[in-house]
């Protein structure tokens, strides 16, 4: 599985858009990019997954360029409750039954 | 609202004691994962099962850790004997095939283990 690199931490203010970029230079053809969110004292929670171009759901958007060597998670108008660790992962296609390899994640701190 | 449940939520024990952690995956999910989280190592995959059969336990210290799935509704992780370095939060997660674009694993609330 391709290794991912993302910033250790980011700061933001309420109402701002936050973009967290992840690099995955060794991504393979059949790899997907997945993002999870973890609040303190809770297990990680799936946010979004994509293969190429742009994916959007009710929580976030995921932008993946054509070479797929990086991806950007975009959180629109963050609030204090978005303070969490965000993990970028590369995984094989095949449902939710393949193992996840977590990196260090990005600690997003949202301030008033 | 289907959820992964884990018991106990907190466990404090003394070095050398046996610890058993339990997980009930979401009904219908055929894959169960055990992860461990510490400040130093982050989230690590210990082992996982598919259709109750162990697929990969390479992340688990074999001499003291064991993982089983006695039936489709119960997964267990045992540590015997426990050591202070085992102190961590242990997460169970489950997933089902064929979710298409979501491909989501559902995590439980974790068991916070402290070994004195």
């Amino acid at each position: 599985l391709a290794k991912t690199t993302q910033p250790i931490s980011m700061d933001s203010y309420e109402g701002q858009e936050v973009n967290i970029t992840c690099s995955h230079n060794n991504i393979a053809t059949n790899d997907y990019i997945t993002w999870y969110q973890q609040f303190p004292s809770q297990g990680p929670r799936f946010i979004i997954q994509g293969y190429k171009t742009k994916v959007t759901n009710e929580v976030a958007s995921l932008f993946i360029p054509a070479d797929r060597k990086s991806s950007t998670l975009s959180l629109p108008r963050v609030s204090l409750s978005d303070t969490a660790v965000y993990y970028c992962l590369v995984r094989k296609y095949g449902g939710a039954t393949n193992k996840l390899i977590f990196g260090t994640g990005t600690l997003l701190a949202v301030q008033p | 609202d289907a959820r992964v449940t884990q018991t106990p939520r907190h466990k404090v024990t003394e070095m050398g004691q046996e610890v058993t952690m339990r997980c009930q995956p979401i009904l219908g999910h055929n894959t169960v994962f055990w992860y461990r989280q510490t400040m130093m190592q982050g989230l690590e995959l210990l082992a996982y099962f598919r259709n109750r059969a162990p697929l990969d336990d390479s992340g688990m210290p074999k001499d003291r850790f064991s993982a089983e799935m006695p039936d489709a509704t119960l997964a267990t992780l045992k540590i015997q004997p426990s050591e202070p370095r085992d102190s961590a939060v242990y997460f169970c997660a489950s997933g089902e095939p064929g979710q298409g674009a979501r491909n989501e694993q559902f995590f439980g609330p974790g068991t916070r283990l402290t070994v004195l």
Side-chain angles (χ1 to χ4, degrees), chain A residues 32 34 36 38-50 57-58 85 87 91-104, chain B residues 9 30-31 33 35 37 42-45 48 50 55-56 58 91 94-110 112:
Chain A
Y32 279 67
T34 302
Y36 276 73
Q38 186 178 24
F39 296 115
S41 301
Q42 294 186 26
R45 184 182 73 159
F46 173 93
I47 301 177
I48 198 166
Q49 173 167 296
N57 62 20
E58 65 277 7
V85 177
Y87 295 96
R91 65 178 307 167
K92 299 296 180 191
Y93 179 76
T97 55
N98 288 325
K99 62 184 178 183
L100 299 176
I101 306 298
F102 286 85
T104 55
Chain B
R9 293 293 310 277
N30 73 337
T31 307
F33 303 82
Y35 295 88
Q37 187 170 35
L43 267 165
E44 306 172 280
L45 176 69
Y48 72 109
R50 186 169 300 157
L55 275 191
D56 184 352
S58 58
F91 289 105
S94 71
E96 62 177 342
Q99 285 185 302
R102 277 190 79 83
N103 293 319
E104 175 178 358
Q105 284 184 23
F106 293 82
F107 282 75
R112 181 175 296 275

Side-chain angles (χ1 to χ4, degrees), chain A residues 42-83:
Chain A
Q42 294 186 26
R45 184 182 73 159
F46 173 93
I47 301 177
I48 198 166
Q49 173 167 296
Y51 184 81
K52 61 181 179 180
T53 63
K54 177 183 175 182
V55 179
T56 297
N57 62 20
E58 65 277 7
V59 177
S61 294
L62 179 59
F63 299 91
I64 305 168
D67 66 5
R68 305 199 327 120
K69 293 183 182 301
S70 67
S71 59
T72 299
L73 175 73
S74 181
L75 304 172
R77 298 181 298 282
V78 295
S79 64
L80 296 176
S81 62
D82 292 316
T83 294

